[in-house]
Amino acid sequence: MERAPTPANEEERLVSLHALALLDTEPEERFDRITKTATQVFQVPISTLTLVDAKREWFKSCQGLPGREGDRAISFCGHALLASDVFVVPDTKKDKRFSDNPMVTGKPFIRFYAGVPLLSADGQRIGVFCIKDTEPREFSAEQQGLLKNLATWAELELNARNLSLALSEQKRLREVLVQRNRETELSRAKDEAILDSIGDGMIVVDEERKILFFSKSAEEMTGWAARDAIGKHASEVIEMVDEKGAPIHPDKRPIHLALSTKKKVVSATAYYFVLKDGARFPAAIVATPVTYGHAIIGAVLIFRDITKEKEVDEAKTEFVSVASHQLRTPLSAVSWYTEMLLAGDAGKLSELQEKYLRAVYEGNRRMVALLDALLNVSRLDLGSFIISPQPTAVPELVRSVLDDLMPFIVKKNITVHEHYAKDLSEFQADPKLLRMVLQNLLSNSVKYSANNGAVTVNVIPVTRDHIFGGKRAAADNLAISVSDAGIGIPPAQQDKIFTKLFRADNAMETEAEGTGLGLYIVKSIIDRSGGRVWFRSEQGNGTTFYITLPLSGMRAKRGSKMLTQKIISTQQAT
Amino acid sequence: MTHEGKKVLVVEDEEPLQQALRDTLSREGFNVLTAKNGDEGLKTALEQHPDLILLDFVMPKMDGMTMLKQLRLDGWGKTARVVILTNLSDNEKIADAMNSETFDYFVKSDTKIHELVKKIKEKLA
């Protein structure tokens, strides 16, 4: 006898079987109807709807047998379970697998068996629909077809509950999906509404610079319709030129830079967008790479039309230029005529006349100095000044500034200590700007020193990191310090010392004159030259200002305006 | 005095400034010619061939830059000595003037009149 085999996926099969929740339940008419039909159609005494459990065969419906279960190992259904089609044993006595089976040799003396495996909704073999006879039989193909039909019926009944469950589950899932879809749609619509409401133009590209998204503002600004722009290469849609109208190579544009450098790119120079009709507008641009995981998957380009800002900028520049000319002309006249009078060109002056005229002259010089300082500040604020580095001997620059200040140095009997590093080679600096910086720092030192005080200047190259002025100076910097033992800066006002028009209280008491612009100018120049400036000060004990500039030199900067040099010297050297 | 009797043309539209220059330069012994715009200045320069031209930039009718450019087209004017006197500190314009081989430029409000005269004397020495 051959025992009924166990399939490889027995565990999964049992899970499916048990999930049906039919084992050990009461007989049901819906199944009995099928087995009864089978006995009548095939004129056999026995028909069962068998569920094959782990150790047993159990009959959900059974015709012609007294019990409701049997041993799986010796069961016919255990074999039929794994059959590919109808499993037929025409004569059990002639079949080695069953000839000595106790159900053949003993009760119920089975001589014929035909069964069809039954599948659950998830495709697992869970049972068998079968007929049995006590006489051997021939089972024609037609009869096999009939038995299969009955088995299909049984299968439908077996899975009916599951199917209805599955259907209701599917329905529920569909509802959830519909709801989710609706929510997604809504949030998408909201996102789109938000994106469309952004006043700045927004273009999203993939890593190949193909346009994925084109916002409504971008449409309005560029004249392109999103549906035409999307899918095109960014450079096909956005034509960019510089201030002079020269095209900007696609590889130099912010989108490409953002993708290649993997960093946010904020437009520093003016980019002009060229519209389809040839018109152009200046744009402020921010391009940001989009990263997903570690990969760059595209970039977002945000741009804004800055025509208005440009106009305001130009108007301001124009104003500075006009103001410069218009204000200086009467100042020049006052200056020259007072000078002529003082020189006695119009006859000898009385002592009192000369004294009064000197006051006029001084006042006028101060006005010129103030005007120059204001114009410089205006240019610094506009960023329209030029930095043009050239080889400069810093010690000579310091000495020439000291020469200018000599009348005051002598008057206050101030000792000046100059320390220059021996290996100081010529340094790439804009001599006019650096001179302006030194002039401001040195004249402050002299101005705020007591009589008989001392001022020290150091100029040294820093070749490796070392502490300079309490800070770790970066290697390859030129370091300049200017120290005095003067009035110092009050601690509470130290954070404001570089602020435009700010003067410390003690400075105002010591020296009524002063624009409050000198250190602001120093900081602006040094910041934009790629350097750093800071100070250490103790009220009553003096101040040291520190400057570092990269040894590679001041950063060149193109602009349209020079700063006027004589800020302090015109004010003082008169 | 080597500069005695040398001809200096002052091209300046601002009457007070023109007068100050005229008076001071005359006192120092120069032969002073004046013009109140570039148009007049160019005409006088080409007629009188002064030894030195003091040229303002911002003027009505014809500005200093235009006058300088036209002057340089002339055979004599090509090498005439010109000193720019301006109250602009506009880099581009000054750079332009330098390209026209001007000798020097001064910002009026920053320059003392007697210093200016001294410089002119040096140039003509």
Side-chain angles (χ1 to χ4, degrees), chain A residues 125-148:
Chain A
R125 291 162 186 264
I126 48 166
V128 177
F129 184 77
C130 74
I131 49 172
K132 296 166 183 168
D133 197 353
T134 49
E135 299 296 327
R137 270 180 180 248
E138 288 305 315
F139 204 54
S140 69
E142 199 183 331
Q143 286 172 312
Q144 290 188 22
L146 208 53
L147 184 66
K148 268 163 64 174

PDB file of all heavy atoms in Angstrom, chain A residues 125-148:
ATOM      1  N   ARG A 125      -4.634  23.574  -2.495  1.00  0.00           N
ATOM      2  CA  ARG A 125      -5.446  22.336  -2.557  1.00  0.00           C
ATOM      3  C   ARG A 125      -5.913  22.030  -1.144  1.00  0.00           C
ATOM      4  O   ARG A 125      -5.109  21.748  -0.266  1.00  0.00           O
ATOM      5  CB  ARG A 125      -4.592  21.173  -3.074  1.00  0.00           C
ATOM      6  CG  ARG A 125      -4.217  21.341  -4.540  1.00  0.00           C
ATOM      7  CD  ARG A 125      -3.051  20.443  -4.913  1.00  0.00           C
ATOM      8  NE  ARG A 125      -2.643  20.747  -6.294  1.00  0.00           N
ATOM      9  CZ  ARG A 125      -3.073  20.045  -7.338  1.00  0.00           C
ATOM     10  NH1 ARG A 125      -3.879  18.996  -7.174  1.00  0.00           N
ATOM     11  NH2 ARG A 125      -2.683  20.391  -8.546  1.00  0.00           N
ATOM     12  N   ILE A 126      -7.213  22.083  -0.946  1.00  0.00           N
ATOM     13  CA  ILE A 126      -7.698  21.909   0.427  1.00  0.00           C
ATOM     14  C   ILE A 126      -8.540  20.649   0.611  1.00  0.00           C
ATOM     15  O   ILE A 126      -8.730  20.176   1.724  1.00  0.00           O
ATOM     16  CB  ILE A 126      -8.542  23.123   0.870  1.00  0.00           C
ATOM     17  CG1 ILE A 126      -9.562  23.466  -0.223  1.00  0.00           C
ATOM     18  CG2 ILE A 126      -7.659  24.321   1.179  1.00  0.00           C
ATOM     19  CD1 ILE A 126     -10.638  24.396   0.257  1.00  0.00           C
ATOM     20  N   GLY A 127      -9.014  20.117  -0.516  1.00  0.00           N
ATOM     21  CA  GLY A 127      -9.881  18.939  -0.348  1.00  0.00           C
ATOM     22  C   GLY A 127     -10.145  18.250  -1.674  1.00  0.00           C
ATOM     23  O   GLY A 127      -9.537  18.561  -2.691  1.00  0.00           O
ATOM     24  N   VAL A 128     -11.041  17.318  -1.644  1.00  0.00           N
ATOM     25  CA  VAL A 128     -11.339  16.518  -2.835  1.00  0.00           C
ATOM     26  C   VAL A 128     -12.847  16.266  -2.891  1.00  0.00           C
ATOM     27  O   VAL A 128     -13.488  16.072  -1.856  1.00  0.00           O
ATOM     28  CB  VAL A 128     -10.606  15.151  -2.794  1.00  0.00           C
ATOM     29  CG1 VAL A 128     -10.977  14.284  -3.994  1.00  0.00           C
ATOM     30  CG2 VAL A 128      -9.089  15.366  -2.726  1.00  0.00           C
ATOM     31  N   PHE A 129     -13.388  16.335  -4.096  1.00  0.00           N
ATOM     32  CA  PHE A 129     -14.775  15.886  -4.278  1.00  0.00           C
ATOM     33  C   PHE A 129     -14.692  14.518  -4.955  1.00  0.00           C
ATOM     34  O   PHE A 129     -14.051  14.376  -5.991  1.00  0.00           O
ATOM     35  CB  PHE A 129     -15.543  16.872  -5.167  1.00  0.00           C
ATOM     36  CG  PHE A 129     -16.988  16.501  -5.307  1.00  0.00           C
ATOM     37  CD1 PHE A 129     -17.888  16.771  -4.269  1.00  0.00           C
ATOM     38  CD2 PHE A 129     -17.467  15.855  -6.449  1.00  0.00           C
ATOM     39  CE1 PHE A 129     -19.222  16.419  -4.392  1.00  0.00           C
ATOM     40  CE2 PHE A 129     -18.799  15.494  -6.569  1.00  0.00           C
ATOM     41  CZ  PHE A 129     -19.684  15.780  -5.534  1.00  0.00           C
ATOM     42  N   CYS A 130     -15.329  13.501  -4.323  1.00  0.00           N
ATOM     43  CA  CYS A 130     -15.137  12.163  -4.887  1.00  0.00           C
ATOM     44  C   CYS A 130     -16.401  11.297  -4.868  1.00  0.00           C
ATOM     45  O   CYS A 130     -17.375  11.593  -4.175  1.00  0.00           O
ATOM     46  CB  CYS A 130     -14.013  11.444  -4.143  1.00  0.00           C
ATOM     47  SG  CYS A 130     -14.515  10.880  -2.502  1.00  0.00           S
ATOM     48  N   ILE A 131     -16.336  10.247  -5.684  1.00  0.00           N
ATOM     49  CA  ILE A 131     -17.370   9.191  -5.645  1.00  0.00           C
ATOM     50  C   ILE A 131     -16.639   7.862  -5.458  1.00  0.00           C
ATOM     51  O   ILE A 131     -15.483   7.708  -5.901  1.00  0.00           O
ATOM     52  CB  ILE A 131     -18.222   9.148  -6.947  1.00  0.00           C
ATOM     53  CG1 ILE A 131     -17.309   9.140  -8.191  1.00  0.00           C
ATOM     54  CG2 ILE A 131     -19.193  10.322  -6.987  1.00  0.00           C
ATOM     55  CD1 ILE A 131     -18.075   8.892  -9.505  1.00  0.00           C
ATOM     56  N   LYS A 132     -17.312   6.911  -4.781  1.00  0.00           N
ATOM     57  CA  LYS A 132     -16.719   5.584  -4.553  1.00  0.00           C
ATOM     58  C   LYS A 132     -17.804   4.537  -4.810  1.00  0.00           C
ATOM     59  O   LYS A 132     -18.994   4.795  -4.612  1.00  0.00           O
ATOM     60  CB  LYS A 132     -16.231   5.443  -3.098  1.00  0.00           C
ATOM     61  CG  LYS A 132     -15.111   6.408  -2.741  1.00  0.00           C
ATOM     62  CD  LYS A 132     -14.905   6.458  -1.225  1.00  0.00           C
ATOM     63  CE  LYS A 132     -13.834   7.479  -0.872  1.00  0.00           C
ATOM     64  NZ  LYS A 132     -13.805   7.755   0.563  1.00  0.00           N
ATOM     65  N   ASP A 133     -17.286   3.347  -5.267  1.00  0.00           N
ATOM     66  CA  ASP A 133     -18.252   2.261  -5.511  1.00  0.00           C
ATOM     67  C   ASP A 133     -17.674   0.957  -4.961  1.00  0.00           C
ATOM     68  O   ASP A 133     -16.466   0.839  -4.777  1.00  0.00           O
ATOM     69  CB  ASP A 133     -18.502   2.129  -7.022  1.00  0.00           C
ATOM     70  CG  ASP A 133     -19.782   1.337  -7.321  1.00  0.00           C
ATOM     71  OD1 ASP A 133     -20.391   0.791  -6.367  1.00  0.00           O
ATOM     72  OD2 ASP A 133     -20.154   1.308  -8.510  1.00  0.00           O
ATOM     73  N   THR A 134     -18.500   0.015  -4.715  1.00  0.00           N
ATOM     74  CA  THR A 134     -18.035  -1.280  -4.200  1.00  0.00           C
ATOM     75  C   THR A 134     -17.816  -2.260  -5.352  1.00  0.00           C
ATOM     76  O   THR A 134     -17.434  -3.407  -5.143  1.00  0.00           O
ATOM     77  CB  THR A 134     -19.045  -1.870  -3.195  1.00  0.00           C
ATOM     78  OG1 THR A 134     -20.350  -1.808  -3.794  1.00  0.00           O
ATOM     79  CG2 THR A 134     -19.027  -1.096  -1.901  1.00  0.00           C
ATOM     80  N   GLU A 135     -18.059  -1.797  -6.563  1.00  0.00           N
ATOM     81  CA  GLU A 135     -17.784  -2.595  -7.764  1.00  0.00           C
ATOM     82  C   GLU A 135     -16.780  -1.828  -8.631  1.00  0.00           C
ATOM     83  O   GLU A 135     -16.815  -0.606  -8.671  1.00  0.00           O
ATOM     84  CB  GLU A 135     -19.087  -2.754  -8.591  1.00  0.00           C
ATOM     85  CG  GLU A 135     -20.208  -3.472  -7.871  1.00  0.00           C
ATOM     86  CD  GLU A 135     -19.865  -4.939  -7.548  1.00  0.00           C
ATOM     87  OE1 GLU A 135     -19.122  -5.548  -8.362  1.00  0.00           O
ATOM     88  OE2 GLU A 135     -20.297  -5.415  -6.478  1.00  0.00           O
ATOM     89  N   PRO A 136     -15.894  -2.537  -9.332  1.00  0.00           N
ATOM     90  CA  PRO A 136     -15.031  -1.832 -10.286  1.00  0.00           C
ATOM     91  C   PRO A 136     -15.853  -1.205 -11.414  1.00  0.00           C
ATOM     92  O   PRO A 136     -16.943  -1.687 -11.706  1.00  0.00           O
ATOM     93  CB  PRO A 136     -14.110  -2.920 -10.829  1.00  0.00           C
ATOM     94  CG  PRO A 136     -14.502  -4.216 -10.191  1.00  0.00           C
ATOM     95  CD  PRO A 136     -15.694  -4.013  -9.322  1.00  0.00           C
ATOM     96  N   ARG A 137     -15.313  -0.141 -12.008  1.00  0.00           N
ATOM     97  CA  ARG A 137     -16.059   0.576 -13.047  1.00  0.00           C
ATOM     98  C   ARG A 137     -15.113   1.109 -14.115  1.00  0.00           C
ATOM     99  O   ARG A 137     -13.956   1.407 -13.836  1.00  0.00           O
ATOM    100  CB  ARG A 137     -16.683   1.842 -12.439  1.00  0.00           C
ATOM    101  CG  ARG A 137     -18.053   1.669 -11.874  1.00  0.00           C
ATOM    102  CD  ARG A 137     -18.463   3.054 -11.343  1.00  0.00           C
ATOM    103  NE  ARG A 137     -19.794   2.960 -10.771  1.00  0.00           N
ATOM    104  CZ  ARG A 137     -20.860   3.550 -11.320  1.00  0.00           C
ATOM    105  NH1 ARG A 137     -20.734   4.272 -12.398  1.00  0.00           N
ATOM    106  NH2 ARG A 137     -22.032   3.407 -10.756  1.00  0.00           N
ATOM    107  N   GLU A 138     -15.686   1.265 -15.294  1.00  0.00           N
ATOM    108  CA  GLU A 138     -14.983   2.068 -16.299  1.00  0.00           C
ATOM    109  C   GLU A 138     -15.517   3.492 -16.102  1.00  0.00           C
ATOM    110  O   GLU A 138     -16.694   3.682 -15.782  1.00  0.00           O
ATOM    111  CB  GLU A 138     -15.322   1.560 -17.713  1.00  0.00           C
ATOM    112  CG  GLU A 138     -14.679   0.219 -18.043  1.00  0.00           C
ATOM    113  CD  GLU A 138     -13.176   0.240 -17.856  1.00  0.00           C
ATOM    114  OE1 GLU A 138     -12.523   1.243 -18.315  1.00  0.00           O
ATOM    115  OE2 GLU A 138     -12.620  -0.688 -17.220  1.00  0.00           O
ATOM    116  N   PHE A 139     -14.622   4.499 -16.211  1.00  0.00           N
ATOM    117  CA  PHE A 139     -15.081   5.871 -16.006  1.00  0.00           C
ATOM    118  C   PHE A 139     -14.709   6.673 -17.255  1.00  0.00           C
ATOM    119  O   PHE A 139     -13.545   7.037 -17.466  1.00  0.00           O
ATOM    120  CB  PHE A 139     -14.395   6.448 -14.758  1.00  0.00           C
ATOM    121  CG  PHE A 139     -15.163   7.573 -14.125  1.00  0.00           C
ATOM    122  CD1 PHE A 139     -16.505   7.412 -13.753  1.00  0.00           C
ATOM    123  CD2 PHE A 139     -14.545   8.801 -13.885  1.00  0.00           C
ATOM    124  CE1 PHE A 139     -17.199   8.447 -13.149  1.00  0.00           C
ATOM    125  CE2 PHE A 139     -15.252   9.833 -13.280  1.00  0.00           C
ATOM    126  CZ  PHE A 139     -16.586   9.654 -12.913  1.00  0.00           C
ATOM    127  N   SER A 140     -15.762   6.906 -18.094  1.00  0.00           N
ATOM    128  CA  SER A 140     -15.507   7.528 -19.402  1.00  0.00           C
ATOM    129  C   SER A 140     -15.092   9.002 -19.252  1.00  0.00           C
ATOM    130  O   SER A 140     -15.278   9.617 -18.202  1.00  0.00           O
ATOM    131  CB  SER A 140     -16.764   7.464 -20.262  1.00  0.00           C
ATOM    132  OG  SER A 140     -17.746   8.323 -19.713  1.00  0.00           O
ATOM    133  N   ALA A 141     -14.536   9.531 -20.319  1.00  0.00           N
ATOM    134  CA  ALA A 141     -14.121  10.934 -20.320  1.00  0.00           C
ATOM    135  C   ALA A 141     -15.316  11.837 -20.050  1.00  0.00           C
ATOM    136  O   ALA A 141     -15.211  12.854 -19.357  1.00  0.00           O
ATOM    137  CB  ALA A 141     -13.497  11.295 -21.665  1.00  0.00           C
ATOM    138  N   GLU A 142     -16.439  11.433 -20.610  1.00  0.00           N
ATOM    139  CA  GLU A 142     -17.663  12.213 -20.425  1.00  0.00           C
ATOM    140  C   GLU A 142     -18.049  12.252 -18.943  1.00  0.00           C
ATOM    141  O   GLU A 142     -18.371  13.310 -18.394  1.00  0.00           O
ATOM    142  CB  GLU A 142     -18.771  11.567 -21.235  1.00  0.00           C
ATOM    143  CG  GLU A 142     -19.943  12.496 -21.506  1.00  0.00           C
ATOM    144  CD  GLU A 142     -21.062  11.745 -22.259  1.00  0.00           C
ATOM    145  OE1 GLU A 142     -20.726  10.786 -23.003  1.00  0.00           O
ATOM    146  OE2 GLU A 142     -22.224  12.123 -22.073  1.00  0.00           O
ATOM    147  N   GLN A 143     -17.933  11.095 -18.318  1.00  0.00           N
ATOM    148  CA  GLN A 143     -18.259  11.009 -16.890  1.00  0.00           C
ATOM    149  C   GLN A 143     -17.257  11.830 -16.053  1.00  0.00           C
ATOM    150  O   GLN A 143     -17.627  12.474 -15.073  1.00  0.00           O
ATOM    151  CB  GLN A 143     -18.249   9.547 -16.442  1.00  0.00           C
ATOM    152  CG  GLN A 143     -19.459   8.785 -16.944  1.00  0.00           C
ATOM    153  CD  GLN A 143     -19.344   7.294 -16.652  1.00  0.00           C
ATOM    154  OE1 GLN A 143     -18.302   6.680 -16.924  1.00  0.00           O
ATOM    155  NE2 GLN A 143     -20.412   6.705 -16.109  1.00  0.00           N
ATOM    156  N   GLN A 144     -15.997  11.771 -16.488  1.00  0.00           N
ATOM    157  CA  GLN A 144     -14.982  12.573 -15.772  1.00  0.00           C
ATOM    158  C   GLN A 144     -15.322  14.066 -15.837  1.00  0.00           C
ATOM    159  O   GLN A 144     -15.208  14.796 -14.854  1.00  0.00           O
ATOM    160  CB  GLN A 144     -13.601  12.332 -16.381  1.00  0.00           C
ATOM    161  CG  GLN A 144     -13.086  10.928 -16.085  1.00  0.00           C
ATOM    162  CD  GLN A 144     -11.630  10.748 -16.512  1.00  0.00           C
ATOM    163  OE1 GLN A 144     -10.895  11.705 -16.653  1.00  0.00           O
ATOM    164  NE2 GLN A 144     -11.232   9.497 -16.692  1.00  0.00           N
ATOM    165  N   GLY A 145     -15.783  14.485 -17.030  1.00  0.00           N
ATOM    166  CA  GLY A 145     -16.176  15.889 -17.208  1.00  0.00           C
ATOM    167  C   GLY A 145     -17.315  16.249 -16.274  1.00  0.00           C
ATOM    168  O   GLY A 145     -17.322  17.319 -15.649  1.00  0.00           O
ATOM    169  N   LEU A 146     -18.262  15.334 -16.157  1.00  0.00           N
ATOM    170  CA  LEU A 146     -19.423  15.555 -15.299  1.00  0.00           C
ATOM    171  C   LEU A 146     -18.987  15.691 -13.837  1.00  0.00           C
ATOM    172  O   LEU A 146     -19.432  16.581 -13.107  1.00  0.00           O
ATOM    173  CB  LEU A 146     -20.373  14.353 -15.472  1.00  0.00           C
ATOM    174  CG  LEU A 146     -21.854  14.583 -15.241  1.00  0.00           C
ATOM    175  CD1 LEU A 146     -22.361  15.752 -16.068  1.00  0.00           C
ATOM    176  CD2 LEU A 146     -22.631  13.299 -15.627  1.00  0.00           C
ATOM    177  N   LEU A 147     -18.059  14.807 -13.448  1.00  0.00           N
ATOM    178  CA  LEU A 147     -17.577  14.838 -12.064  1.00  0.00           C
ATOM    179  C   LEU A 147     -16.843  16.171 -11.795  1.00  0.00           C
ATOM    180  O   LEU A 147     -16.981  16.776 -10.727  1.00  0.00           O
ATOM    181  CB  LEU A 147     -16.630  13.659 -11.802  1.00  0.00           C
ATOM    182  CG  LEU A 147     -16.131  13.531 -10.359  1.00  0.00           C
ATOM    183  CD1 LEU A 147     -17.277  13.201  -9.395  1.00  0.00           C
ATOM    184  CD2 LEU A 147     -15.037  12.473 -10.243  1.00  0.00           C
ATOM    185  N   LYS A 148     -16.096  16.620 -12.805  1.00  0.00           N
ATOM    186  CA  LYS A 148     -15.375  17.891 -12.644  1.00  0.00           C
ATOM    187  C   LYS A 148     -16.349  19.064 -12.456  1.00  0.00           C
ATOM    188  O   LYS A 148     -16.098  19.982 -11.667  1.00  0.00           O
ATOM    189  CB  LYS A 148     -14.470  18.155 -13.865  1.00  0.00           C
ATOM    190  CG  LYS A 148     -13.066  17.604 -13.614  1.00  0.00           C
ATOM    191  CD  LYS A 148     -12.188  17.429 -14.817  1.00  0.00           C
ATOM    192  CE  LYS A 148     -11.751  18.597 -15.612  1.00  0.00           C
ATOM    193  NZ  LYS A 148     -10.784  18.221 -16.673  1.00  0.00           N
TER     194      LYS A 148
END
